[in-house]
Amino acid sequence: MPLFLLGLLLGGISGGVTFGLTADGQLAAIIGAVAAVLTWLGIATLIFADD
């Protein structure tokens, strides 16, 4: 559960910064979602590579 929340936090921060810099809500949402998914995939890769 903490990893899920970490992904949401990083996605929210990335989306918020993008919105602040560009004032484009759609772009900010896409960037936030991509950052969250990449965080989860990166952590999953580390877990599987460690085995």
Short mmCIF file of all heavy atoms in Angstrom, two decimals:
data_model
loop_
_atom_site.label_atom_id
_atom_site.label_comp_id
_atom_site.label_asym_id
_atom_site.label_seq_id
_atom_site.Cartn_x
_atom_site.Cartn_y
_atom_site.Cartn_z
N MET A 1 0.81 -1.20 0.00
CA MET A 1 0.00 0.00 0.00
C MET A 1 0.86 1.28 0.00
O MET A 1 0.50 2.22 -0.69
CB MET A 1 -0.95 -0.05 1.20
CG MET A 1 -1.92 1.08 1.26
SD MET A 1 -3.10 0.92 -0.09
CE MET A 1 -4.24 2.18 0.33
N PRO A 2 1.96 1.32 0.76
CA PRO A 2 2.77 2.55 0.73
C PRO A 2 3.34 2.84 -0.66
O PRO A 2 3.48 4.01 -1.03
CB PRO A 2 3.89 2.28 1.72
CG PRO A 2 3.40 1.22 2.62
CD PRO A 2 2.46 0.40 1.79
N LEU A 3 3.65 1.80 -1.43
CA LEU A 3 4.19 2.02 -2.77
C LEU A 3 3.13 2.62 -3.69
O LEU A 3 3.44 3.45 -4.54
CB LEU A 3 4.72 0.72 -3.35
CG LEU A 3 5.88 0.08 -2.59
CD1 LEU A 3 6.27 -1.23 -3.24
CD2 LEU A 3 7.05 1.02 -2.52
N PHE A 4 1.91 2.18 -3.50
CA PHE A 4 0.80 2.75 -4.29
C PHE A 4 0.65 4.24 -3.97
O PHE A 4 0.51 5.07 -4.87
CB PHE A 4 -0.50 2.00 -3.97
CG PHE A 4 -1.70 2.56 -4.67
CD1 PHE A 4 -1.89 2.32 -6.02
CD2 PHE A 4 -2.63 3.30 -3.98
CE1 PHE A 4 -3.01 2.84 -6.68
CE2 PHE A 4 -3.75 3.81 -4.62
CZ PHE A 4 -3.93 3.58 -5.97
N LEU A 5 0.71 4.56 -2.69
CA LEU A 5 0.57 5.96 -2.28
C LEU A 5 1.76 6.79 -2.75
O LEU A 5 1.61 7.96 -3.10
CB LEU A 5 0.41 6.05 -0.77
CG LEU A 5 -0.88 5.43 -0.22
CD1 LEU A 5 -0.89 5.50 1.31
CD2 LEU A 5 -2.10 6.10 -0.80
N LEU A 6 2.95 6.19 -2.76
CA LEU A 6 4.13 6.90 -3.27
C LEU A 6 3.94 7.25 -4.75
O LEU A 6 4.25 8.36 -5.17
CB LEU A 6 5.39 6.06 -3.09
CG LEU A 6 6.67 6.63 -3.68
CD1 LEU A 6 7.07 7.90 -2.93
CD2 LEU A 6 7.78 5.61 -3.62
N GLY A 7 3.42 6.31 -5.52
CA GLY A 7 3.15 6.58 -6.93
C GLY A 7 2.14 7.70 -7.11
O GLY A 7 2.31 8.57 -7.96
N LEU A 8 1.09 7.68 -6.29
CA LEU A 8 0.08 8.74 -6.37
C LEU A 8 0.68 10.09 -5.98
O LEU A 8 0.40 11.11 -6.61
CB LEU A 8 -1.11 8.42 -5.47
CG LEU A 8 -2.02 7.30 -5.92
CD1 LEU A 8 -3.16 7.12 -4.91
CD2 LEU A 8 -2.60 7.56 -7.30
N LEU A 9 1.51 10.09 -4.95
CA LEU A 9 2.14 11.34 -4.50
C LEU A 9 3.04 11.92 -5.58
O LEU A 9 2.95 13.10 -5.91
CB LEU A 9 2.93 11.09 -3.22
CG LEU A 9 3.72 12.28 -2.69
CD1 LEU A 9 2.77 13.35 -2.17
CD2 LEU A 9 4.68 11.85 -1.62
N LEU A 10 3.91 11.08 -6.14
CA LEU A 10 4.81 11.56 -7.17
C LEU A 10 4.06 11.98 -8.44
O LEU A 10 4.42 12.96 -9.09
CB LEU A 10 5.86 10.50 -7.50
CG LEU A 10 6.85 10.21 -6.38
CD1 LEU A 10 7.77 9.06 -6.78
CD2 LEU A 10 7.65 11.43 -6.03
N GLY A 11 3.01 11.25 -8.77
CA GLY A 11 2.18 11.64 -9.92
C GLY A 11 1.48 12.97 -9.68
O GLY A 11 1.40 13.81 -10.58
N GLY A 12 0.99 13.16 -8.46
CA GLY A 12 0.33 14.42 -8.13
C GLY A 12 1.29 15.60 -8.16
O GLY A 12 0.95 16.68 -8.66
N ILE A 13 2.49 15.38 -7.64
CA ILE A 13 3.49 16.45 -7.67
C ILE A 13 3.87 16.78 -9.11
O ILE A 13 3.94 17.96 -9.49
CB ILE A 13 4.73 16.05 -6.84
CG1 ILE A 13 4.37 16.02 -5.35
CG2 ILE A 13 5.89 17.01 -7.09
CD1 ILE A 13 5.44 15.42 -4.48
N SER A 14 4.12 15.76 -9.91
CA SER A 14 4.49 15.99 -11.31
C SER A 14 3.38 16.70 -12.07
O SER A 14 3.64 17.64 -12.83
CB SER A 14 4.80 14.66 -12.00
OG SER A 14 5.90 14.03 -11.39
N GLY A 15 2.15 16.25 -11.87
CA GLY A 15 1.02 16.90 -12.53
C GLY A 15 0.83 18.34 -12.07
O GLY A 15 0.55 19.23 -12.86
N GLY A 16 1.00 18.56 -10.78
CA GLY A 16 0.84 19.91 -10.24
C GLY A 16 1.90 20.87 -10.76
O GLY A 16 1.60 22.01 -11.11
N VAL A 17 3.14 20.41 -10.81
CA VAL A 17 4.21 21.25 -11.34
C VAL A 17 3.99 21.53 -12.82
O VAL A 17 4.16 22.66 -13.29
CB VAL A 17 5.59 20.59 -11.09
CG1 VAL A 17 6.68 21.31 -11.86
CG2 VAL A 17 5.90 20.57 -9.61
N THR A 18 3.59 20.50 -13.57
CA THR A 18 3.32 20.69 -14.99
C THR A 18 2.19 21.69 -15.19
O THR A 18 2.27 22.57 -16.06
CB THR A 18 2.96 19.35 -15.66
OG1 THR A 18 4.03 18.44 -15.46
CG2 THR A 18 2.72 19.52 -17.14
N PHE A 19 1.13 21.56 -14.39
CA PHE A 19 0.02 22.52 -14.53
C PHE A 19 0.47 23.93 -14.17
O PHE A 19 0.07 24.90 -14.82
CB PHE A 19 -1.15 22.10 -13.64
CG PHE A 19 -2.34 22.99 -13.78
CD1 PHE A 19 -3.12 22.92 -14.91
CD2 PHE A 19 -2.67 23.91 -12.80
CE1 PHE A 19 -4.23 23.75 -15.06
CE2 PHE A 19 -3.76 24.75 -12.94
CZ PHE A 19 -4.54 24.66 -14.07
N GLY A 20 1.31 24.04 -13.15
CA GLY A 20 1.81 25.36 -12.77
C GLY A 20 2.66 26.01 -13.84
O GLY A 20 2.63 27.22 -14.02
N LEU A 21 3.41 25.19 -14.57
CA LEU A 21 4.29 25.74 -15.59
C LEU A 21 3.59 26.00 -16.92
O LEU A 21 3.94 26.92 -17.65
CB LEU A 21 5.48 24.80 -15.83
CG LEU A 21 6.47 24.66 -14.66
CD1 LEU A 21 7.50 23.58 -14.98
CD2 LEU A 21 7.14 25.98 -14.38
N THR A 22 2.60 25.16 -17.25
CA THR A 22 1.98 25.27 -18.56
C THR A 22 0.53 25.76 -18.54
O THR A 22 0.03 26.20 -19.56
CB THR A 22 1.98 23.90 -19.28
OG1 THR A 22 1.17 23.00 -18.55
CG2 THR A 22 3.38 23.36 -19.42
N ALA A 23 -0.16 25.65 -17.40
CA ALA A 23 -1.58 25.99 -17.26
C ALA A 23 -2.46 25.17 -18.21
O ALA A 23 -3.53 25.61 -18.60
CB ALA A 23 -1.81 27.48 -17.46
N ASP A 24 -2.00 23.97 -18.56
CA ASP A 24 -2.76 23.07 -19.43
C ASP A 24 -3.17 21.85 -18.61
O ASP A 24 -2.35 21.01 -18.27
CB ASP A 24 -1.91 22.65 -20.63
CG ASP A 24 -2.66 21.79 -21.63
OD1 ASP A 24 -3.87 21.56 -21.42
OD2 ASP A 24 -2.04 21.36 -22.62
N GLY A 25 -4.46 21.78 -18.28
CA GLY A 25 -4.96 20.72 -17.41
C GLY A 25 -4.83 19.33 -17.99
O GLY A 25 -4.52 18.37 -17.29
N GLN A 26 -5.08 19.21 -19.30
CA GLN A 26 -4.98 17.90 -19.94
C GLN A 26 -3.55 17.37 -19.93
O GLN A 26 -3.31 16.21 -19.63
CB GLN A 26 -5.48 17.99 -21.38
CG GLN A 26 -6.76 17.28 -21.60
CD GLN A 26 -7.18 17.33 -23.07
OE1 GLN A 26 -6.74 18.18 -23.84
NE2 GLN A 26 -8.05 16.42 -23.44
N LEU A 27 -2.63 18.21 -20.28
CA LEU A 27 -1.22 17.82 -20.27
C LEU A 27 -0.77 17.45 -18.87
O LEU A 27 -0.06 16.46 -18.67
CB LEU A 27 -0.35 18.95 -20.84
CG LEU A 27 1.16 18.69 -20.85
CD1 LEU A 27 1.48 17.53 -21.77
CD2 LEU A 27 1.90 19.95 -21.26
N ALA A 28 -1.19 18.22 -17.87
CA ALA A 28 -0.82 17.94 -16.49
C ALA A 28 -1.36 16.59 -16.04
O ALA A 28 -0.67 15.84 -15.34
CB ALA A 28 -1.32 19.05 -15.58
N ALA A 29 -2.59 16.26 -16.43
CA ALA A 29 -3.17 14.98 -16.06
C ALA A 29 -2.41 13.82 -16.70
O ALA A 29 -2.15 12.79 -16.06
CB ALA A 29 -4.64 14.93 -16.48
N ILE A 30 -2.03 13.98 -17.95
CA ILE A 30 -1.28 12.93 -18.64
C ILE A 30 0.09 12.74 -17.99
O ILE A 30 0.51 11.61 -17.72
CB ILE A 30 -1.14 13.27 -20.13
CG1 ILE A 30 -2.50 13.17 -20.82
CG2 ILE A 30 -0.13 12.35 -20.81
CD1 ILE A 30 -2.53 13.73 -22.22
N ILE A 31 0.78 13.84 -17.71
CA ILE A 31 2.09 13.76 -17.09
C ILE A 31 1.99 13.12 -15.71
O ILE A 31 2.81 12.29 -15.32
CB ILE A 31 2.74 15.16 -16.99
CG1 ILE A 31 3.00 15.74 -18.37
CG2 ILE A 31 4.02 15.13 -16.16
CD1 ILE A 31 4.01 15.00 -19.20
N GLY A 32 0.99 13.49 -14.93
CA GLY A 32 0.80 12.91 -13.61
C GLY A 32 0.54 11.41 -13.67
O GLY A 32 1.10 10.64 -12.89
N ALA A 33 -0.31 10.98 -14.60
CA ALA A 33 -0.60 9.55 -14.74
C ALA A 33 0.62 8.78 -15.19
O ALA A 33 0.90 7.69 -14.68
CB ALA A 33 -1.75 9.35 -15.73
N VAL A 34 1.37 9.33 -16.12
CA VAL A 34 2.58 8.66 -16.60
C VAL A 34 3.60 8.55 -15.47
O VAL A 34 4.24 7.50 -15.29
CB VAL A 34 3.17 9.40 -17.83
CG1 VAL A 34 4.57 8.92 -18.15
CG2 VAL A 34 2.26 9.23 -19.02
N ALA A 35 3.77 9.60 -14.69
CA ALA A 35 4.73 9.56 -13.58
C ALA A 35 4.33 8.51 -12.55
O ALA A 35 5.18 7.79 -12.03
CB ALA A 35 4.83 10.93 -12.93
N ALA A 36 3.04 8.42 -12.25
CA ALA A 36 2.57 7.41 -11.29
C ALA A 36 2.82 6.00 -11.80
O ALA A 36 3.35 5.14 -11.07
CB ALA A 36 1.09 7.62 -11.00
N VAL A 37 2.48 5.74 -13.04
CA VAL A 37 2.66 4.40 -13.61
C VAL A 37 4.14 4.04 -13.69
O VAL A 37 4.54 2.93 -13.36
CB VAL A 37 1.98 4.29 -14.99
CG1 VAL A 37 2.37 3.01 -15.70
CG2 VAL A 37 0.48 4.37 -14.82
N LEU A 38 4.97 5.00 -14.11
CA LEU A 38 6.41 4.72 -14.18
C LEU A 38 7.01 4.46 -12.80
O LEU A 38 7.91 3.63 -12.66
CB LEU A 38 7.14 5.86 -14.88
CG LEU A 38 6.91 5.98 -16.38
CD1 LEU A 38 7.66 7.18 -16.94
CD2 LEU A 38 7.32 4.71 -17.10
N THR A 39 6.49 5.13 -11.78
CA THR A 39 6.95 4.86 -10.42
C THR A 39 6.62 3.43 -10.03
O THR A 39 7.47 2.70 -9.52
CB THR A 39 6.30 5.84 -9.43
OG1 THR A 39 6.65 7.16 -9.78
CG2 THR A 39 6.75 5.56 -8.01
N TRP A 40 5.38 3.00 -10.28
CA TRP A 40 4.98 1.64 -9.93
C TRP A 40 5.77 0.61 -10.72
O TRP A 40 6.20 -0.40 -10.18
CB TRP A 40 3.49 1.44 -10.15
CG TRP A 40 2.64 2.30 -9.26
CD1 TRP A 40 2.89 2.65 -7.98
CD2 TRP A 40 1.41 2.92 -9.61
NE1 TRP A 40 1.90 3.44 -7.50
CE2 TRP A 40 0.97 3.64 -8.47
CE3 TRP A 40 0.64 2.95 -10.76
CZ2 TRP A 40 -0.22 4.35 -8.47
CZ3 TRP A 40 -0.54 3.67 -10.75
CH2 TRP A 40 -0.96 4.36 -9.62
N LEU A 41 5.97 0.85 -12.01
CA LEU A 41 6.72 -0.10 -12.83
C LEU A 41 8.19 -0.16 -12.43
O LEU A 41 8.80 -1.22 -12.43
CB LEU A 41 6.59 0.26 -14.31
CG LEU A 41 5.22 0.04 -14.94
CD1 LEU A 41 5.22 0.51 -16.39
CD2 LEU A 41 4.79 -1.41 -14.85
N GLY A 42 8.75 0.97 -12.08
CA GLY A 42 10.14 1.00 -11.65
C GLY A 42 10.35 0.24 -10.36
O GLY A 42 11.32 -0.52 -10.22
N ILE A 43 9.44 0.40 -9.42
CA ILE A 43 9.55 -0.31 -8.16
C ILE A 43 9.32 -1.81 -8.37
O ILE A 43 10.02 -2.65 -7.80
CB ILE A 43 8.57 0.26 -7.12
CG1 ILE A 43 9.03 1.68 -6.73
CG2 ILE A 43 8.47 -0.62 -5.90
CD1 ILE A 43 8.04 2.44 -5.89
N ALA A 44 8.37 -2.16 -9.23
CA ALA A 44 8.12 -3.58 -9.53
C ALA A 44 9.34 -4.21 -10.20
O ALA A 44 9.70 -5.34 -9.91
CB ALA A 44 6.90 -3.72 -10.43
N THR A 45 10.00 -3.46 -11.06
CA THR A 45 11.21 -3.95 -11.73
C THR A 45 12.31 -4.21 -10.70
O THR A 45 13.00 -5.23 -10.77
CB THR A 45 11.70 -2.95 -12.77
OG1 THR A 45 10.66 -2.75 -13.74
CG2 THR A 45 12.94 -3.46 -13.48
N LEU A 46 12.46 -3.30 -9.76
CA LEU A 46 13.47 -3.50 -8.72
C LEU A 46 13.17 -4.73 -7.87
O LEU A 46 14.07 -5.47 -7.49
CB LEU A 46 13.57 -2.26 -7.83
CG LEU A 46 14.17 -1.02 -8.44
CD1 LEU A 46 14.08 0.15 -7.47
CD2 LEU A 46 15.62 -1.27 -8.84
N ILE A 47 11.90 -4.95 -7.58
CA ILE A 47 11.52 -6.12 -6.76
C ILE A 47 11.79 -7.40 -7.52
O ILE A 47 12.36 -8.35 -6.99
CB ILE A 47 10.04 -6.01 -6.36
CG1 ILE A 47 9.86 -4.87 -5.35
CG2 ILE A 47 9.54 -7.33 -5.76
CD1 ILE A 47 8.43 -4.53 -5.05
N PHE A 48 11.42 -7.46 -8.82
CA PHE A 48 11.62 -8.68 -9.59
C PHE A 48 13.10 -8.90 -9.90
O PHE A 48 13.57 -10.04 -9.94
CB PHE A 48 10.82 -8.65 -10.90
CG PHE A 48 9.35 -8.85 -10.67
CD1 PHE A 48 8.43 -7.92 -11.15
CD2 PHE A 48 8.87 -9.94 -9.99
CE1 PHE A 48 7.07 -8.09 -10.93
CE2 PHE A 48 7.51 -10.12 -9.76
CZ PHE A 48 6.61 -9.19 -10.24
N ALA A 49 13.85 -7.86 -10.12
CA ALA A 49 15.28 -7.99 -10.41
C ALA A 49 16.06 -8.44 -9.19
O ALA A 49 17.13 -9.04 -9.32
CB ALA A 49 15.83 -6.68 -10.95
N ASP A 50 15.55 -8.15 -8.03
CA ASP A 50 16.23 -8.51 -6.79
C ASP A 50 16.13 -10.00 -6.50
O ASP A 50 16.95 -10.55 -5.79
CB ASP A 50 15.63 -7.71 -5.63
CG ASP A 50 16.44 -7.87 -4.36
OD1 ASP A 50 17.68 -7.95 -4.46
OD2 ASP A 50 15.83 -7.90 -3.27
N ASP A 51 15.13 -10.67 -7.07
CA ASP A 51 14.94 -12.11 -6.81
C ASP A 51 15.99 -12.95 -7.41
O ASP A 51 16.61 -13.07 -8.23
CB ASP A 51 13.57 -12.58 -7.30
CG ASP A 51 12.48 -12.06 -6.40
OD1 ASP A 51 12.78 -11.71 -5.26
OD2 ASP A 51 11.33 -12.00 -6.86
#
